[in-house]
């Protein structure tokens, strides 16, 4: 099919929602006027002769569908979830001059007339589409699980505005309701389509079809599609195109009588076909010429067009035996289909995001081609769309046909521009050598209009391509980083995060901070969408039923972290306002890539490419988690890292200015050398500190630490190793200390002592040289936390040395059995003392508690030796 040469003219511009027009845009011609709904509550009336806007009406809700009763000059509008409104254009036009309310949004310079809610002649929230046939109104309603076709008397302006009486009703096929909508019909994502076809007989009982969607179908095709009963009754037939792809038909005469004598609904509804995709358009075309001329030929081809381009064409034909049979053929056109229209000839016009196209279903590609001598020609084997050079059209309407056979289309673009497109089916004549100034001006105007349309299309496509290219680049980098991290679980990692702790002064107290250093050692770049997630989990909550409930997660965007670059994040760990810090803490670091941030813009449709759907949400193409998480590692902050050593740093001596003697005395009492004031200080002064110890073989420690600490005593090297992750380790190393006094996060004192001891009776060869690490503190909580940290380090040291193949010396099994028996006896005594505490009174339970504390201290200082 040769591409026709359209002439496009710009008429006016109208406001549209943010993101472009979506569902419900309509363009209806009414003589020299054009009625237009731009997808929201406003309906405009545009005068083509005066080239200006003459009226604007604001309905109570979004307008889904419009129909015009030309003889009565009445407007019927279906509002979302409200019903059908009937408005007299002449009466409303006279009231426009009396209305002084302009558009609230400043969208329309013309005064906007609000539509009276009393004009709702058919209040029904379930209505999704309707059409008019003479004095009847056919509506399609969405139930909780089924579609229903309902028949009403057509309202007239000025009549009683009460609810219209229902004449008949029939149920169509079931549909799957959205999730979470049990018992309640939700708004459809795509609107259904209604169309009426009838025989070309003026003597039909219901009269000839009168309405904007009424079509006169050829008698042979009508009988083949809808049966002999419909042909004998000469009754119009309602065609329903549903969002699930079903094409159904209901004979109007049977629908009228169903209200008087209800019967089987299945006998009233016939499913003609299933397109397996939402139906966007139903119409009829004239593919063969007639002896009565182009205007006398009946429509001989029924067409249904799906949202994704699947097209169904049905035409009457003959089989080999000479019997009349329906010829059905499916085509696949480019999609998605935004809108479609037919102008009464053999051409079908449909709009896609790529542009407005036309396909010809005539036997030879044009209605004037000769018909084969052996009878009517069939449907073409292939449809070739011809582009008309207009893009972003969201609604179409056939305005008029010229005597020469040309077609004028009214179109509304996604940007809200009202256009006319005149299509000439015949090839353009050769250019004349000379032309008038008017012809040159018209050609220049057409050329500029085409340039503007092409420029808008190119700009939109370029923006979409750029977004997709950036998203693909980010996803490619993310794939490289993910593969590199997953392939290097052992050894150095291409992207690492190390955590260190330090005390810093923040008024009015000292706080413990954790610094996470993110280093990119790979050859890739962490670009848009990447973030560093740091989760801090208290150690006492890690073993609970829901560890994540007490965790605190910090998310820091990683912006443009190239190869070899670093990013540092500092977090506050505590203590809190009560001075407590629950140690140990687990700090987990991970890289997170937000897929919505990377590809969300590329998946979102641009304005011209937006399809005619009711929802403006993105399709559910992203996974539920909407991101990729790559763990980098965990770090445990225990008591040994949280200790402070104020005695190791010699502060500068400052001469304070003379002040109030009372303030000086109170300050001296509050200093460490002053008189204790709190219960913890009283316990520290009058009660001996609690002690816990652990013994480790000197040979084991020397093998693990001696190589790196040559020239340093084993006791000093062991203390430095225990405090290696504390920021005061340099001061301990400089003074070669074997014991140190420290402060816990809550201010309590903790003392660490490392000394050499000889363990006798364990080895037949003689005493075993060992190191004993003692932890002293007047606070049992601080003692347990510090002892737990020391034991954890020693356990990891033993596991590492065992992996190297070192073996322990010969041991006396009887000695070990005795120690084990003593340990089990202490555990049994602990259980008995705890049971006794539950039954004794307050006076007698004090001695039991003291004994329980002594047993706990013995368990914390066993005579076992780590070898």
């Amino acid at each position: 099919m040769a591409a026709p040469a359209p002439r496009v003219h710009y008429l006016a511009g109208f406001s549209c929602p943010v993101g472009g027009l979506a569902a419900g845009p309509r363009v209806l011609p009414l003589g020299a006027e054009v009625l237009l709904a731009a997808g929201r509550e406003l309906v405009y009336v545009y005068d083509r002769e005066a080239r200006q806007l003459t009226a604007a009406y604001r309905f109570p809700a979004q307008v889904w569908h419009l129909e015009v009763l030309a003889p009565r000059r009445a407007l019927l509008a279906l509002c979302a979830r409200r019903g059908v409104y009937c408005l007299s254009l002449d009466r409303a036009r006279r009231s426009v001059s009396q209305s002084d309310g302009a558009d609230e949004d400043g969208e329309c310079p013309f005064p906007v007339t609000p539509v009276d809610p009393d004009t709702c002649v058919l209040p029904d929230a379930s209505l999704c589409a309707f059409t008019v046939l003479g004095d009847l109104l056919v509506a399609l309603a969405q139930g909780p699980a089924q579609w229903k076709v309902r028949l009403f008397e057509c309202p007239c302006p000025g009549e009683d505005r009460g609810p219209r009486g229902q004449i008949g009703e029939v149920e169509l096929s079931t549909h799957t309701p959205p999730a979470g909508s049990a018992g309640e019909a939700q708004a459809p994502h795509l609107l259904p389509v209604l169309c009426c076809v009838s025989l070309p007989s003026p003597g039909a009982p219901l009269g000839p079809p009168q309405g904007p969607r009424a079509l006169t179908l050829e008698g042979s095709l009508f009988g083949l599609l809808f049966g002999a009963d419909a042909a004998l009754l000469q009754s119009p037939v309602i065609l329903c195109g549903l969002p699930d792809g079903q094409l159904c038909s209901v004979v109007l005469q049977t629908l009228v009588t169903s209200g008087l004598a209800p019967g089987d609904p299945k006998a009233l509804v016939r499913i003609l076909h299933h397109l397996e995709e939402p139906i966007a358009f139903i119409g009829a075309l004239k593919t063969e010429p007639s002896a009565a001329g182009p205007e006398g030929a009946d429509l001989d081809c029924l067409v249904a067009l799906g949202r994704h381009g699947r097209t169904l064409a049905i035409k009457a034909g003959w089989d080999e035996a000479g019997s009349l049979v329906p010829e059905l053929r499916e085509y696949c056109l480019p999609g998605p289909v935004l809108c479609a229209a037919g102008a009464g000839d053999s051409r079908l016009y449909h709009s896609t995001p790529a542009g407005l196209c036309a396909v010809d279903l005539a036997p030879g590609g044009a209605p004037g081609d000769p018909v084969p001598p052996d009878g009517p020609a069939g449907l073409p084997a292939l449809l070739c769309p011809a582009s008309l050079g207009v893009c972003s059209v969201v609604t179409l309407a056939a305005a008029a046909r010229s005597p020469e056979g040309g077609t004028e289309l009214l179109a509304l673009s996604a940007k809200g521009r009202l256009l006319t497109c005149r299509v000439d089916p015949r090839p353009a004549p050769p250019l004349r050598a000379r032309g008038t100034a008017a012809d040159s001006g018209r050609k220049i105007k057409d050329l500029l209009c085409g340039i503007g349309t092409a420029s808008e299309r190119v700009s939109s496509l370029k923006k979409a391509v750029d977004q997709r290219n950036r998203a693909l680049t980010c996803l490619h980098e993310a794939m490289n980083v993910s593969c590199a991290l997953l392939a290097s679980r052992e050894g150095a990692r291409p992207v690492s995060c190390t955590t260190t702790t330090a005390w810093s002064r923040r008024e009015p107290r000292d706080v413990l901070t954790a610094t996470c250093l993110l280093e990119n050692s790979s050859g890739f770049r962490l670009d848009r969408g990447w973030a560093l997630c740091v989760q801090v989990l208290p150690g006492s909550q890690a073993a609970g039923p829901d560890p994540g409930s007490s965790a605190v997660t910090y998310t820091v965007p990683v912006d443009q972290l190239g190869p070899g670059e670093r990013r540092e994040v500092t977090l506050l760990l505590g203590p809190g306002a009560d001075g407590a810090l629950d140690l140990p803490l687990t700090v987990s670091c991970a890289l997170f890539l937000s897929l919505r941030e990377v590809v969300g813009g590329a998946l979102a449709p641009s304005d011209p490419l937006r399809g005619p759907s009711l929802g403006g949400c993105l399709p559910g193409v992203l996974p539920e988690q909407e991101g990729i998480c790559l763990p980098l590692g965990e770090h445990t902050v225990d008591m040994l890292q949280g200790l402070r050593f104020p005695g190791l740093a010699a502060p500068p001596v400052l001469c304070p200015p003379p002040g109030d003697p009372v303030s000086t005395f109170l300050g001296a009492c509050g200093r460490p050398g002053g008189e204790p004031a709190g219960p913890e200080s009283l316990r520290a002064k009058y009660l001996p500190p609690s002690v816990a110890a652990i013994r480790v073989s000197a040979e084991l420690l020397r093998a693990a630490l001696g190589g790196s600490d040559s020239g340093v005593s084993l006791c000093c090297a062991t203390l430095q190793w225990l405090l290696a992750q504390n920021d005061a380790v340099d001061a301990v190393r400089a003074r070669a200390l074997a014991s140190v006094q420290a402060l816990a996060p809550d201010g309590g004192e903790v003392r660490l002592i490392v000394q050499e001891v000889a363990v006798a009776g364990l080895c037949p060869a003689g005493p075993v040289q060992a190191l004993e690490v003692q932890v002293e503190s007047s606070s049992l909580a601080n003692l347990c936390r510090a002892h737990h940290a020391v034991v954890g380090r020693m356990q990891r040291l033993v596991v590492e040395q065992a992996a190297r193949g070192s073996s322990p010396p010969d041991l006396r099994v009887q000695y070990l059995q005795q120690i084990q028996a003593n340990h089990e006896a202490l555990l049994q005594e602990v259980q008995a003392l705890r049971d006794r505490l539950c039954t004794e009174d307050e006076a007698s339970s004090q001695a039991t508690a003291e004994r329980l504390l002594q047993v706990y201290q013995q368990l914390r200082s066993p005579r076992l030796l780590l070898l």
Side-chain angles (χ1 to χ4, degrees):
M1 167 182 168
R7 292 200 299 260
V8 181
H9 297 278
Y10 170 80
L11 297 181
F14 299 89
S15 61
C16 61
V18 177
L21 296 179
R26 291 285 172 181
V27 174
L28 295 178
L30 181 61
E33 296 178 329
V34 177
L35 281 81
L36 183 143
R40 295 206 293 186
E41 298 87 356
L42 291 178
V43 174
Y44 305 94
V45 179
Y46 179 80
D47 193 335
R48 296 184 59 181
E49 295 179 351
R51 301 187 64 86
Q52 65 179 2
L53 188 69
T54 59
Y57 308 104
R58 180 184 294 277
F59 285 83
Q62 180 187 5
V63 177
W64 278 358
H65 188 70
L66 288 178
E67 295 284 5
V68 177
L69 303 180
R72 310 173 188 174
R73 288 194 57 82
L75 173 65
L76 295 177
L78 172 61
C79 293
R81 320 307 292 173
R82 295 294 181 91
V84 178
Y85 291 76
C86 182
L87 183 67
S88 174
L89 295 177
D90 294 333
R91 186 177 305 172
R93 188 77 53 83
R94 290 193 297 268
S95 63
V96 169
S97 59
Q98 303 172 3
S99 174
D100 56 352
D103 188 4
E104 297 175 0
D105 301 332
E107 302 170 352
C108 177
F110 199 86
V112 176
T113 303
V115 175
D116 191 351
D118 294 338
T119 59
C120 184
V121 295
L122 195 57
D124 190 345
S126 65
L127 298 184
C128 298
F130 76 95
T131 187
V132 177
L133 292 169
D135 296 333
L136 299 177
L137 185 146
V138 183
L140 187 60
Q142 180 190 21
Q146 284 184 322
W147 294 95
K148 297 181 180 180
V149 176
R150 296 175 178 173
L151 186 63
F152 303 90
E153 295 180 0
C154 185
C156 296
E159 292 182 353
D160 182 19
R161 305 195 184 278
R164 315 303 297 180
Q166 181 171 308
I167 300 176
E169 177 181 294
V170 65
E171 293 182 351
L172 301 182
S173 60
T174 60
H175 69 91
T176 302
S181 61
E184 179 183 354
Q186 302 292 324
H189 182 65
L190 293 170
L191 291 175
V193 181
L194 281 181
C195 179
C196 176
V197 295
S198 177
L199 285 170
S201 173
L206 297 176
Q210 296 177 2
R213 305 282 300 169
L215 303 172
T216 301
L217 205 60
E218 185 186 35
S220 58
L221 180 61
F222 187 92
L224 288 173
L225 289 178
F226 312 120
D229 294 340
L232 291 175
L233 291 174
Q234 296 186 353
S235 169
V237 176
I238 305 300
L239 295 177
C240 307
L242 303 181
D244 63 355
Q246 295 189 63
L247 179 61
C248 307
S249 66
V250 179
V251 179
L252 190 61
Q253 182 65 35
T254 60
L255 185 60
V256 172
T257 58
S258 66
L260 302 176
D264 185 10
K266 297 182 180 179
L268 305 179
V269 179
R270 174 177 293 189
I271 300 178
L272 300 180
H273 195 73
H274 202 304
L275 275 183
E276 298 182 359
E277 63 183 53
I279 296 180
F281 171 77
I282 302 174
L285 303 178
K286 186 190 307 180
T287 62
E288 297 183 5
S290 173
E295 299 299 329
D298 297 327
L299 303 177
D300 55 10
C301 182
L302 184 67
V303 178
L305 183 60
R307 293 285 179 185
H308 304 297
R310 180 172 291 182
T311 305
L312 170 70
I314 307 176
K315 189 177 179 181
W318 303 90
D319 61 3
E320 297 179 355
S323 301
L324 194 64
V325 293
E327 179 185 358
L328 185 147
R329 190 181 293 271
E330 281 194 1
Y331 304 95
C332 188
L333 298 179
V337 176
L338 305 180
C339 60
D345 56 3
S346 61
R347 280 193 175 92
L348 173 66
Y349 303 91
H350 69 284
S351 175
T352 68
L356 181 62
C357 301
V359 291
D360 198 340
L361 277 78
D369 290 348
V371 180
D374 55 349
L379 293 169
L382 182 66
L383 294 183
C384 299
S387 176
L388 300 182
V390 183
C391 70
S392 309
V393 173
V394 295
T395 184
L396 278 174
R401 288 182 56 83
S402 63
E404 295 81 8
T407 301
E408 184 181 55
L409 300 175
L410 281 173
L412 182 66
S413 70
K415 297 293 186 181
R417 297 173 179 173
L418 182 61
L419 310 170
T420 61
C421 181
R422 188 179 299 273
V423 183
D424 188 359
R426 294 175 296 189
L431 297 177
R432 295 177 297 176
R434 295 181 181 180
T436 62
D439 293 339
S440 300
R442 178 178 54 80
K443 294 177 183 178
I444 293 174
K445 184 177 180 180
D446 293 344
L447 184 60
L448 290 177
C449 184
I451 292 174
T453 303
S455 175
E456 179 182 347
R457 178 183 175 188
V458 169
S459 176
S460 173
L461 294 178
K462 185 178 183 301
K463 180 180 178 182
V465 169
D466 291 342
Q467 288 180 341
R468 284 161 174 76
N469 288 339
R470 288 194 297 268
L472 288 175
T473 301
C474 293
L475 290 177
H476 182 70
E477 292 288 337
M479 182 64 68
N480 292 334
V481 173
S482 302
C483 294
L485 282 175
L486 296 177
S488 59
R489 297 188 177 184
E490 301 293 338
R493 311 195 70 182
V495 180
S496 61
C497 186
T498 57
T499 304
T500 57
T501 57
W503 284 90
S504 60
R505 181 65 180 175
R506 294 187 182 181
E507 295 298 336
R509 62 183 183 276
D510 294 340
V511 294
L512 181 64
T513 59
T515 301
C516 301
L517 180 62
L518 179 64
E519 184 174 3
N520 183 11
S521 303
S522 66
F524 310 111
R525 187 178 190 86
L526 301 183
D527 214 329
R528 179 171 57 94
W530 287 101
L532 175 64
C533 295
V534 182
Q535 187 182 62
V536 180
L537 179 65
S540 60
Q541 305 291 335
D546 188 8
S549 61
S550 58
V552 179
T553 303
Y554 304 89
T555 302
V556 182
V558 179
D559 188 17
Q560 305 292 335
L561 187 66
E565 297 181 353
R566 300 181 177 182
R567 188 66 42 82
E568 192 174 90
V569 178
T570 301
L571 309 174
L572 177 63
L573 299 181
D578 55 353
L581 179 60
D582 190 8
L583 293 178
L585 294 172
T586 301
V587 181
S588 303
C589 300
L591 275 178
F592 180 79
L593 176 65
S594 174
L595 293 179
R596 181 168 296 276
E597 184 176 351
V598 173
V599 303
L603 293 178
S606 56
D607 297 345
L609 305 182
R610 191 182 181 93
S613 61
L614 294 180
C617 301
L618 287 174
V621 297
L622 293 178
E624 295 181 358
Q625 65 271 18
E626 297 184 358
I628 301 173
C629 187
L630 301 173
L632 297 179
E634 290 184 355
H635 179 79
T636 301
V637 181
D638 53 21
M639 177 62 79
L640 293 181
Q641 300 178 46
L643 293 177
R644 288 174 292 170
F645 301 90
L648 296 182
V653 180
L654 300 178
C655 297
D660 185 13
V662 177
S663 301
T664 303
F665 171 74
L666 294 177
C669 293
R671 290 195 297 267
E675 195 68 22
E680 294 292 337
S681 300
L682 292 175
R683 182 183 305 164
K685 180 177 181 180
Y686 297 105
L687 293 179
S690 302
V691 180
I694 182 172
R695 293 181 179 180
V696 188
S697 169
E699 182 180 356
L700 176 65
L701 289 173
R702 192 176 293 110
L705 308 176
S708 58
D709 295 315
S710 58
V712 182
S713 67
L714 189 58
C715 295
C716 298
T718 302
L719 184 61
Q720 296 171 16
W721 171 71
L722 290 174
L723 300 176
Q725 294 179 329
N726 194 294
D727 57 345
V729 65
D730 294 334
V732 175
R733 185 180 293 109
R735 300 191 182 187
L737 299 177
S739 64
V740 67
Q741 188 89 7
L743 293 180
D746 60 356
E749 294 184 356
V750 177
R751 187 179 182 188
L752 297 177
I753 303 174
V754 182
Q755 57 187 358
E756 295 183 357
V757 295
V759 181
L762 179 62
C763 183
V768 178
Q769 297 297 321
L771 263 67
E772 184 181 64
V773 180
Q774 288 188 0
V775 181
E776 298 180 359
S777 179
S778 58
S779 171
L780 290 179
N782 292 335
L783 176 73
C784 295
R785 290 167 179 164
H787 185 252
H788 180 270
V790 173
V791 171
R793 281 166 170 72
M794 294 300 178
Q795 288 177 342
R796 289 191 293 270
L797 178 66
V798 172
V799 172
E800 292 175 0
Q801 291 302 312
R804 297 179 182 178
S806 59
S807 58
D810 296 334
L811 302 176
R812 289 182 176 177
V813 179
Q814 184 179 2
Y815 180 82
L816 295 177
Q817 292 177 348
Q818 182 62 36
I819 294 178
Q820 179 67 21
N822 295 339
H823 188 77
E824 292 179 354
L826 290 175
L827 291 176
Q828 294 176 0
E829 185 177 0
V830 166
Q831 185 63 39
L833 291 173
R834 295 180 63 180
D835 295 341
R836 191 187 307 171
L837 281 175
C838 299
T839 59
E840 292 179 345
D841 55 4
E842 184 177 357
S844 58
S845 62
Q846 182 175 1
T848 304
E850 292 179 356
R851 175 56 187 165
L852 183 61
L853 180 59
Q854 294 175 3
V855 176
Y856 274 133
Q857 290 180 350
Q858 294 179 21
L859 289 173
R860 288 264 177 199
S861 300
R863 290 184 296 166
L864 288 175
L865 178 66
L866 293 179
L867 297 174

